Amino acid sequence: MFKMGSLFRSEEMCLAQLYLQSEAAFACVSELGELGLAQFRDLNPDVNAFQRKFVNEVRRCDDMERKLRFLEKEVKKDNLAIDDTGENPPAPLPREMIDMENKFDKLETEMKSVNSNQEALKKNFLELTELKHILRKTQQFFEQTHVPQQYDDETPLIASEFSRSFNRFGVHFFYYRFVAGVLMRDKISAFERVIWRACRGNVFLRYTEIEAELEDPHTGDKVNKYVFIVFFQGDQLKSRIKKICTGFRATLYPCPETPQERREIALGVMTRIEDLQTVLNQTADHRRMVLSQVALNIRVWLIKVRKIKAIYHTLNLFNVNAEKCLIAECWCPVVDIDRIQLALRRGTELSGSSVPSIMQQMQTKENPPTYNQTDKFTSGFQAIIDAFGVSNYREVNPAPFTIITFPFLFAVMFGDMGHGLLMFLFALYLVLKENRYMKHKPEDEIFKMMFDGRYLILLMGLFSIYTGFLYNECFSRSINIFGTSWNFLMEFRLTLDPNKPGVFRGYPYFYGIDPIWQSAENKITVQNSYKMKNAVLMGFAQMIFGLSLAFCNRRHFKDKLTLYCELLPQLLFLCALIGYLCMCILYKWSVWTVAQSNTAPSLLIGLIDMYMLTDPKSNNRVPLYTGQYQVQIFLVIVTVLCVPWMFLSKPYILYKRSNNTQDDICCFSLYDRLITQSMMEAGGLDSQSDDDVAILHHENNDANYGKQEPESFDMSEVIIYQAIHTIEFCLSCISHTASYLRLWALSLAHSELSEVLWSMVMHTGLATSGTSGAILSFFVFWFFSSLTVSILLVMEGLSAFLHAIRLHWVEFQSKFYKGEGYIFSPFSFTLIVEGKVE
């Protein structure tokens, strides 16, 4: 389980150094792999991979893994189920590797021997089967006496000039020499034409298909073949025909000329086929018995081999000192140091070593990795954040807030109770069946992606049901739950105008949007205004929340300069510009009544007049509130002052700090020289010995250890950098607010597309009465369902999903999130066994 604090901000990390005895190193690394809380660094970056200490052990593990993959392939080839009990065996000790190698080598040798014997038997069985069909088919050829007297491009090439000439004299074609064999079905047409053209028509070819499918002894696939017989005259044609048969990979068999000999050979072939079938069955039973035993243990064997290989691969990252002690460096969470030390102690005890393993923390100026603890619920949301960029070390992690804001913004664009319910039920099925899918990982990449984000889809569907209830839309239809606040019978064309007497009853709908708006002609006009203003309000709220998270970052890192010189003016600028617009929206909704709607001022024109410094009264426009012009002048002054505040204050303070730092360095160097000179004049130091002076300098350096040396200050670079960020923020306040209008646009598009699909498809079936209407409704319903799933759920859902990602990555996270860190990748057997880490 994770702590919410660790999800809000990454775990505090430390760099630790390990001293492991050679005999205990394997067991200690094995225990750390089971724990999965240490990310080891490579202490031999300049050493080739083939020159490391444990390269031979890694090769032995590779060879064992190769043998196991061969056995696994044979098990799957026989359609045997691999036993998966969920057992996670510990890594075997090094002395057990020899027994494992001998066992795997024996199984591989036995399986290869069985395969070679079985392949040879199948090859003999195939040859005998083909010979059986040749003897049977050729007997039918010889019994046939009819020979066609003509040949053209449309008839088979079955006759030759010499055969027709001899038939005229009463001599039958089967008195001539012949060749018989079998050929693949897809090659028979080409074979026929090549034979005819190569022999210039001086052959007689007959062929027929073998009804039963034959098994290829090499691949095990089922193939279809033809039996053919070619009659010819002369040795030259015989040689040419055999070469053509070889080129087409045809198999030739000896066939006796007399019927008596063919019958005797056929009887012998049938006897041999029966005996060979018995031997093949026994061989298959023996093979299946061996593979059944392998299927019971192969998963455990693979886990053991992968663990051993991972341990030796990790040991290759360590350094070996003169005392045969392995030295390692690793990043680990500070909160889990006690667990790591306990794992090292267990490893030392398992190995039987008398010398304990030592772990000590190191001081470093390197940036630690980012480690955010997640579980199956939060991992999908964390993946969205990490896809943009891994957060910096100890930077605020947006994932816990994304759990709520992401499905909510998605639902604003996808609000429909029916569509949300379908999405919720699909995700709920994945959640309820997650144990089955966790054991048997789905191979389809798209389905695997949806399964990994099942909790995200679950919340997206749930929030879509909620927003659909607010919009009062269910497959684009309204549901009348709390009645209506309008007297719609008084309106012939259903153009709802509350200013008309008797139309509006005076009280609002209990919750959400009144269902009567579904039939109103001014529905889009009213809802557009409502959703557009809501999008601006939600966008401002999320951007302000992003700046508040930036405040948490600056306070955590004690960066007061950025807090007062960047964050504070940014907050004032955003509130004076967009915050004032949101205040005007809420004020107009709250104060101005329906009766005053015709004279109500435009918010957009008012915002333009604000920065044009125009008094609303000068253009004969009604002000939104009393003192509007004075308030707007004050806010314009604030926004104008915030720009140089953001642009100049930070570079100026950095410039002054740089000058003070240079003065401090000069004063320290002068003070150091004066102290040394005074001690030498007083006789405290031997002028001929430099050791004491070196010791003095060393003590002074130790006093300043950990203080980072000042870098060269480039004022022009700082000014350019600050100018770019100031301009970017000022422009983004407008562009990001406008970007949130996509919430309104996609909500409108989804609503209108749903309504079009209902009116043009489903309404057609429901509008037809009688038996034909019932039948038509049945087919229309399934057509409507398929379009709903493919277009409204999949395509529209994916569109809203991508837009929600954009709003989080750009508009929200740009206010506080850098995403320039690197993820914590611990040495973990769990990740290795699951195949997430090589």
Side-chain angles (χ1 to χ4, degrees):
M1 293 296 293
F2 67 90
K3 303 181 290 295
M4 191 62 188
S6 66
L7 188 62
F8 177 75
R9 199 180 296 278
S10 63
E11 289 283 356
E12 185 178 356
M13 308 293 290
C14 70
L15 183 63
Q17 193 172 40
L18 307 179
Y19 294 89
L20 309 176
Q21 295 298 316
S22 298
E23 61 273 12
F26 186 93
C28 290
V29 173
S30 175
E31 292 296 324
L32 292 178
E34 298 289 351
L35 194 60
L37 291 173
Q39 177 180 334
F40 291 97
R41 303 170 63 188
D42 190 0
L43 301 184
N44 308 300
D46 300 328
V47 180
N48 189 285
F50 300 100
Q51 297 176 348
R52 304 210 175 191
K53 181 177 178 61
F54 300 98
V55 64
N56 291 328
E57 285 78 3
V58 173
R59 288 175 177 172
R60 291 168 60 189
C61 293
D62 284 335
D63 188 58
M64 286 191 293
E65 193 172 9
R66 177 191 60 78
K67 295 174 182 178
L68 290 177
R69 284 198 300 267
F70 166 74
L71 294 174
E72 183 181 22
K73 179 182 176 182
E74 295 297 320
V75 170
K76 293 180 178 179
K77 187 177 178 181
D78 275 23
N79 298 322
L80 294 176
I82 296 178
D83 188 39
D84 187 3
T85 59
E87 181 184 359
N88 186 17
L93 296 176
R95 58 176 175 268
E96 300 179 19
M97 282 184 63
I98 298 177
D99 296 336
M100 295 175 63
E101 286 177 313
N102 293 334
K103 181 188 298 183
F104 300 156
D105 184 66
K106 180 181 178 181
L107 286 173
E108 183 191 31
T109 302
E110 183 178 3
M111 188 52 56
K112 286 184 176 180
S113 175
V114 171
N115 287 345
S116 60
N117 293 335
Q118 190 177 40
E119 183 177 344
L121 292 172
K122 286 185 176 181
K123 184 177 180 181
N124 293 336
F125 183 81
L126 176 64
E127 292 175 351
L128 291 174
T129 305
E130 291 177 348
L131 180 57
K132 178 188 71 173
H133 287 288
I134 285 177
L135 294 173
R136 183 181 302 169
K137 299 297 182 182
T138 52
Q139 182 63 30
Q140 297 176 5
F141 292 156
F142 286 117
E143 291 175 356
Q144 294 176 1
T145 58
H146 174 68
V147 180
Q149 301 299 318
Q150 296 181 355
Y151 171 78
D152 54 32
D153 292 337
E154 303 297 331
T155 58
L157 306 172
I158 58 173
S160 62
E161 293 295 333
F162 72 90
S163 63
R164 290 199 295 270
S165 61
F166 278 100
N167 277 318
R168 286 196 298 267
F169 291 101
V171 183
H172 295 286
F173 65 88
F174 50 79
Y175 287 114
Y176 297 89
R177 303 173 64 183
F178 60 89
V179 173
V182 294
L183 182 65
M184 299 294 293
R185 182 171 62 180
D186 56 349
K187 297 180 181 180
I188 192 66
S189 179
F191 176 75
E192 182 182 9
R193 294 192 175 273
V194 171
I195 282 284
W196 177 262
R197 290 171 183 173
C199 299
R200 299 185 180 183
N202 296 318
V203 294
F204 182 82
L205 173 65
R206 293 296 303 272
Y207 56 84
T208 185
E209 185 177 7
I210 300 176
E211 293 80 5
E213 290 184 335
L214 304 179
E215 181 181 355
D216 191 329
H218 302 288
T219 63
D221 299 332
K222 298 295 183 179
V223 294
N224 294 291
K225 292 187 176 184
Y226 269 71
V227 172
F228 67 89
I229 184 170
V230 183
F231 295 90
F232 58 88
Q233 281 183 331
D235 294 335
Q236 186 176 2
L237 284 178
K238 179 180 180 181
S239 175
R240 190 175 301 175
I241 291 170
K242 286 188 175 182
K243 288 181 180 179
I244 294 173
C245 292
T246 303
F248 278 88
R249 298 180 180 272
T251 307
L252 300 179
Y253 291 93
C255 183
E257 296 183 0
T258 63
Q260 183 64 27
E261 292 178 350
R262 287 194 293 271
R263 282 193 294 269
E264 292 178 358
I265 294 178
L267 292 175
V269 167
M270 293 299 296
T271 304
R272 292 175 59 188
I273 287 176
E274 293 177 358
D275 296 340
L276 198 57
Q277 184 65 55
T278 304
V279 177
L280 276 172
N281 293 337
Q282 294 175 353
T283 305
D285 292 340
H286 175 68
R287 170 189 167 88
R288 195 172 187 84
M289 182 183 63
V290 174
L291 291 178
S292 298
Q293 296 298 322
V294 171
L296 294 175
N297 303 304
I298 190 168
R299 181 186 174 276
V300 175
W301 292 339
L302 280 170
I303 292 175
K304 289 182 178 181
V305 172
R306 287 173 181 171
K307 286 185 176 182
I308 297 174
K309 180 182 176 182
I311 291 172
Y312 280 119
H313 179 74
T314 304
L315 290 174
N316 279 331
L317 305 178
F318 297 178
N319 196 1
V320 183
N321 62 3
E323 289 78 15
K324 303 297 182 182
C325 178
L326 295 178
I327 302 174
E329 292 181 4
C330 64
W331 291 105
C332 57
V334 175
V335 71
D336 294 315
I337 288 180
D338 293 339
R339 297 175 62 188
I340 295 175
Q341 290 177 339
L342 180 61
L344 293 175
R345 195 176 302 118
R346 286 199 306 267
T348 304
E349 293 173 356
L350 288 174
S351 63
S353 176
S354 59
V355 181
S357 301
I358 300 174
M359 177 183 181
Q360 63 180 11
Q361 298 187 34
M362 299 174 60
Q363 298 293 332
T364 180
K365 296 179 182 179
E366 295 185 24
N367 289 326
T370 300
Y371 178 38
N372 294 308
Q373 295 191 49
T374 59
D375 59 6
K376 62 183 180 181
F377 177 76
T378 59
S379 59
F381 300 93
Q382 188 66 54
I384 294 178
I385 303 301
D386 292 341
F388 174 79
V390 180
S391 60
N392 291 6
Y393 177 65
R394 301 291 289 168
E395 183 181 28
V396 170
N397 181 21
F401 316 108
T402 305
I403 295 175
I404 300 299
T405 59
F406 186 90
F408 177 72
L409 292 183
F410 171 86
V412 171
M413 298 178 279
F414 195 75
D416 189 288
M417 286 185 284
H419 301 155
L421 180 62
L422 293 178
M423 184 176 293
F424 174 79
L425 293 177
F426 171 72
L428 183 64
Y429 168 79
L430 295 180
V431 170
L432 296 177
K433 299 295 182 180
E434 65 180 10
N435 291 332
R436 185 180 74 178
Y437 288 117
M438 290 292 290
K439 291 181 179 179
H440 306 284
K441 293 290 184 180
E443 297 182 358
D444 185 77
E445 186 176 355
I446 297 179
F447 183 79
K448 182 179 182 299
M449 193 182 306
M450 291 190 293
F451 176 73
D452 292 338
R454 58 194 179 278
Y455 289 100
L456 173 61
I457 300 175
L458 185 75
L459 290 184
M460 286 161 52
L462 192 62
F463 275 74
S464 296
I465 297 175
Y466 169 71
T467 54
F469 184 71
L470 289 179
Y471 297 158
N472 203 346
E473 290 187 6
C474 181
F475 297 110
S476 78
R477 300 290 92 189
S478 296
I479 301 177
N480 191 354
I481 302 176
F482 306 109
T484 180
S485 300
W486 300 80
N487 293 317
F488 59 90
L489 293 179
M490 299 179 63
E491 287 288 306
F492 179 72
R493 298 183 62 188
L494 285 182
T495 301
L496 301 180
D497 186 359
N499 285 324
K500 291 185 178 181
V503 175
F504 184 60
R505 296 178 180 177
Y507 57 89
Y509 189 67
F510 180 73
Y511 195 77
I513 295 179
D514 198 303
I516 193 58
W517 285 105
Q518 181 68 35
S519 303
E521 290 189 352
N522 56 340
K523 166 191 172 184
I524 296 180
T525 303
V526 174
Q527 290 192 0
N528 276 356
S529 176
Y530 167 73
K531 291 182 178 180
M532 188 186 303
K533 293 179 175 62
N534 265 332
V536 174
L537 292 174
M538 286 185 285
F540 174 73
Q542 190 172 34
M543 288 190 291
I544 285 294
F545 181 60
L547 289 177
S548 65
L549 294 180
F551 172 79
C552 296
N553 270 336
R554 302 309 169 193
R555 186 176 180 181
H556 175 79
F557 294 115
K558 299 179 181 179
D559 188 2
K560 295 183 178 180
L561 178 62
T562 304
L563 179 63
Y564 293 111
C565 296
E566 281 188 6
L567 185 58
L568 185 57
Q570 286 177 358
L571 183 62
L572 292 176
F573 186 90
L574 182 62
C575 290
L577 184 61
I578 308 301
Y580 175 71
L581 175 62
C582 295
M583 186 274 295
C584 292
I585 293 173
L586 296 175
Y587 182 83
K588 187 176 180 181
W589 279 351
S590 304
V591 176
W592 288 74
T593 63
V594 174
Q596 300 171 311
S597 59
N598 293 329
T599 60
S602 171
L603 297 179
L604 181 59
I605 295 177
L607 188 65
I608 295 175
D609 288 344
M610 172 180 173
Y611 286 91
M612 295 295 291
L613 304 179
T614 303
D615 190 352
K617 296 180 181 179
S618 63
N619 295 328
N620 296 324
R621 287 196 293 267
V622 180
L624 184 66
Y625 56 91
T626 305
Q628 178 183 2
Y629 179 67
Q630 291 74 17
V631 172
Q632 291 182 166
I633 291 296
F634 172 75
L635 293 177
V636 169
I637 295 174
V638 171
T639 56
V640 172
L641 291 178
C642 286
V643 176
W645 187 358
M646 286 185 286
F647 176 44
L648 297 176
S649 59
K650 186 174 181 179
Y652 174 75
I653 295 176
L654 289 176
Y655 174 74
K656 296 296 291 182
R657 283 184 179 179
S658 176
N659 290 340
N660 295 335
T661 303
Q662 295 295 333
D663 294 341
D664 292 342
I665 293 175
C666 293
C667 292
F668 177 77
S669 301
L670 178 61
Y671 174 77
D672 189 13
R673 289 197 298 270
L674 290 175
I675 291 295
T676 304
Q677 184 177 359
S678 61
M679 292 181 66
M680 293 179 65
E681 291 177 353
L685 293 175
D686 187 359
S687 60
Q688 296 181 355
S689 176
D690 294 334
D691 293 340
D692 294 334
V693 179
I695 292 172
L696 178 62
H697 283 287
H698 181 69
E699 291 175 353
N700 291 334
N701 290 334
D702 288 342
N704 292 275
Y705 177 77
K707 297 181 179 181
Q708 190 173 2
E709 296 182 1
E711 299 178 357
S712 59
F713 181 78
D714 189 351
M715 186 63 178
S716 61
E717 182 180 351
V718 174
I719 288 290
I720 293 173
Y721 179 83
Q722 197 66 21
I724 293 174
H725 281 268
T726 301
I727 295 172
E728 180 187 9
F729 180 81
C730 294
L731 295 179
S732 67
C733 286
I734 303 296
S735 63
H736 288 180
T737 304
S739 181
Y740 276 96
L741 293 178
R742 70 184 70 236
L743 297 173
W744 151 64
L746 266 77
S747 174
L748 175 65
H750 185 78
S751 176
E752 291 302 309
L753 189 59
S754 300
E755 187 171 353
V756 168
L757 189 62
W758 177 275
S759 60
M760 297 187 67
V761 179
M762 196 64 191
H763 182 71
T764 303
L766 296 177
T768 306
S769 59
T771 307
S772 59
I775 298 174
L776 180 62
S777 298
F778 175 80
F779 292 102
V780 167
F781 170 77
W782 290 109
F783 183 61
F784 173 79
S785 301
S786 61
L787 291 181
T788 299
V789 172
S790 60
I791 297 178
L792 296 180
L793 285 182
V794 178
M795 295 179 60
E796 282 285 309
L798 181 60
S799 175
F801 181 84
L802 294 177
H803 283 285
I805 287 180
R806 150 76 196 227
L807 291 177
H808 279 79
W809 282 357
V810 180
E811 279 72 25
F812 175 52
Q813 292 178 193
S814 63
K815 301 296 183 293
F816 67 96
Y817 189 73
K818 291 185 177 180
E820 298 173 350
Y822 64 100
I823 198 166
F824 177 62
S825 301
F827 171 63
S828 172
F829 285 152
T830 302
L831 299 178
I832 294 171
V833 170
E834 292 179 355
K836 297 181 180 179
V837 177
E838 294 294 335

